[in-house]
Amino acid sequence: MFFRGAADLVLILHLAFVLFVVLGGLLALRWRRVAWVHVPVALYGAMIEFVGFICPLTPLEVWLRRRGGEAGYEGGFIEHYIVASLYPRGLTREVQLALGTAVLMLNGIVYLVWWRRRQSTIERSTP
């Protein structure tokens, strides 16, 4: 029972990590200090997709599931949980590259908006 619960906790943490990679820039619009954490995390998340390796949380979850008597799975978190429902044929290299590019572009746009807001605030406060 412990291992199954721990595997579910890792799954939730992994999902939170993926959401933070994709949408964390929006939090940085509100709380600027979040950017110090989000930028390296987003770059790491995009790198996982570009390089094509598996996040360390995936083997941990699989190991915990197997220890809890459940079947593990092959491939990565995104392939198993997300892509499996969106792309029945599986994760291709092209899809991985598109996901990595989308993460960088989305967050690049968010940080561009953030930078412009910051510059506008500085200009208004300068006499």
Side-chain angles (χ1 to χ4, degrees):
M1 189 68 150
F2 168 78
F3 290 107
R4 289 180 182 185
D8 290 342
L9 180 61
V10 170
L11 171 65
I12 291 166
L13 291 172
H14 204 166
L15 181 59
F17 174 82
V18 170
L19 290 173
F20 186 65
V21 164
V22 175
L23 302 172
L26 297 174
L27 294 174
L29 287 175
R30 176 69 174 101
W31 298 286
R32 284 189 254 167
R33 292 183 181 169
V34 170
W36 289 102
V37 175
H38 178 254
V39 169
V41 167
L43 291 173
Y44 176 75
M47 183 187 70
I48 288 173
E49 296 303 324
F50 288 137
V51 174
F53 68 87
I54 294 176
C55 177
L57 293 173
T58 301
L60 175 60
E61 180 198 349
V62 170
W63 180 79
L64 288 167
R65 292 209 181 282
R66 288 182 178 152
R67 291 288 308 249
E70 297 180 57
Y73 58 86
E74 299 295 320
F77 171 85
I78 291 176
E79 182 180 20
H80 183 73
Y81 289 107
I82 298 171
V83 176
S85 62
L86 298 175
Y87 305 102
R89 292 187 184 134
L91 182 64
T92 65
R93 187 71 186 123
E94 291 78 23
V95 172
Q96 281 185 302
L97 293 173
L99 289 171
T101 301
V103 164
L104 291 179
M105 289 179 64
L106 174 65
N107 286 294
I109 291 167
V110 167
Y111 281 106
L112 181 63
V113 168
W114 176 75
W115 179 259
R116 287 187 176 170
R117 278 188 183 178
R118 184 173 179 262
Q119 292 302 325
S120 176
T121 304
I122 291 170
E123 289 173 5
R124 280 186 274 157
S125 63
T126 306

